[in-house]
Amino acid sequence: MRTTTRIAGASIAAAASLALAVGPAFAADSWVSANLKPVAGNGVQGSGTAQVTISGTEVKVEMAATGLLPDQPHAAHIHYGEAARHECPTLGDDTNDDHHLNTTEGGPAYGDIVVSLTKTGDTSPKSGLAVDRFDTAPGGKISYERGRINVTSAVAEDIASGEAAIVIHGVDYNKDGKYSGDTKSDLDPTLPTEATDPALCGVLVAAPAGGMQTGGGMSSTTNDNGMLLAVGGVALVAAAGSGAVAARRARARG
Ligand SMILES: [Cu+2]
C-alpha cells in the first residue's frame, strides 16, 4: 500500500512539473483587432477590419476592406513607432499643407513599417513597396489572410501592445481610375503619390486577456470581432468560385 501511494505521489509530482515545463508553449495566443477607416483628406470612402493573432514570434493577419481603387496594387503594412502617437493621422499632420496626407506625414501618428502584408514572399519592411506582391483589390475589395509571418520578438510585443496600426495605401485623388498625377511619391519618386498615400488606417487594439470571459471590455470586443467575421463571411462568398474557400479552410486547419 505504502509503495503504491508513493508511486502515485511521484507520478502526480512528475505530471505537475511536466505541466509547468510545457505550460508556456501552450499559452493562449493573443490577438489585436482594428477597424479600418478612411485616412483624413485622402478622398477614400471605404472601410475594413483587421485582426492579428500573435503566437510567439509568428503572427497571422486577417484583413478585409472595401472601397479601394480597384485593380491597382495596394501596399499594406503594420506600422509601429516607439515615439509615434499610436493613432491614425489627422489633417493636423498635413505638414506641407496640400490637404492630403502622404505616408511620411502619417509617420508621427502611426510610425514606421514593421510588417509588409504581402501575399507571397518576404514580409519585412524591405518589401514595403513590393507592388507586385500586394493585393490589387478587385472590385475595390481586399480579402487577405496570411499566417506564419515571422517577426522579431520586439515586433511581436509591439503589435501585442495594442499600439500598432494597419495602413492600406493607394488612393485616387483625380478619380481617373489609376495611380497618376504630377506629385511624386514621398517613398519612391518613380511612383505618383497616389500609389503610396495612405487610404485606410486603424489602430490594432488589444483584446482583454481571456477575451470573452471578461466583463468590462466585452461588448466592444464582441463588436469588433463580430464585424470582422461578418465582413470575412461576405468575402468568403465572393471568393467561392475560385477555390479560395478550400485553400482558406486548409490553411485554417494548419
Ligand atoms: Cu504602410
Side-chain angles (χ1 to χ4, degrees):
M1 282 300 270
R2 197 172 292 167
T3 308
T4 307
T5 305
R6 206 162 51 232
I7 288 169
S11 300
I12 289 165
S17 66
L18 183 66
L20 282 175
V22 300
F26 292 107
D29 296 343
S30 61
W31 56 272
V32 289
S33 64
N35 285 317
L36 308 180
K37 294 180 178 159
V39 170
N42 287 1
V44 174
Q45 290 184 307
S47 63
T49 58
Q51 181 168 319
V52 181
T53 308
I54 305 109
S55 313
T57 54
E58 280 186 354
V59 300
K60 175 180 165 186
V61 177
E62 296 161 279
M63 182 168 72
T66 60
L68 296 161
L69 177 63
D71 303 316
Q72 299 292 324
H74 289 273
H77 316 111
I78 300 175
H79 286 249
Y80 175 82
E82 185 91 46
R85 303 198 307 269
H86 318 306
E87 294 173 351
C88 290
T90 69
L91 282 175
D93 293 302
D94 177 24
T95 50
N96 68 7
D97 216 19
D98 69 349
H99 310 292
H100 299 308
L101 293 173
N102 65 28
T103 299
T104 306
E105 287 172 327
Y110 48 56
D112 297 325
I113 298 169
V114 293
V115 179
S116 296
L117 300 178
T118 54
K119 297 202 292 183
T120 58
D122 177 62
T123 53
S124 78
K126 280 183 289 186
S127 293
L129 288 180
V131 286
D132 55 331
R133 290 188 285 119
F134 286 107
D135 202 300
T136 54
K141 296 180 184 174
I142 283 178
S143 177
Y144 176 90
E145 179 179 339
R146 187 165 179 185
R148 303 193 175 194
I149 297 172
N150 286 298
V151 298
T152 64
S153 54
V155 167
E157 282 174 28
D158 293 339
I159 296 170
S161 74
E163 296 183 333
I166 294 262
V167 183
I168 302 177
H169 302 256
V171 302
D172 186 18
Y173 296 128
N174 60 5
K175 305 293 178 200
D176 67 352
K178 59 188 181 196
Y179 296 146
S180 60
D182 295 333
T183 309
K184 301 301 177 199
S185 166
D186 51 315
L187 303 180
D188 179 349
T190 69
L191 297 171
T193 202
E194 284 188 347
T196 62
D197 283 3
L200 299 175
C201 173
V203 176
L204 287 162
V205 181
M212 307 307 282
Q213 293 103 329
T214 335
M218 180 173 164
S219 61
S220 66
T221 301
T222 306
N223 286 346
D224 285 356
N225 203 27
M227 190 181 293
L228 177 75
L229 291 174
V231 175
V234 170
L236 213 62
V237 170
S242 68
V245 171
R248 191 183 165 110
R249 284 186 184 143
R251 278 199 305 276
R253 277 198 301 271

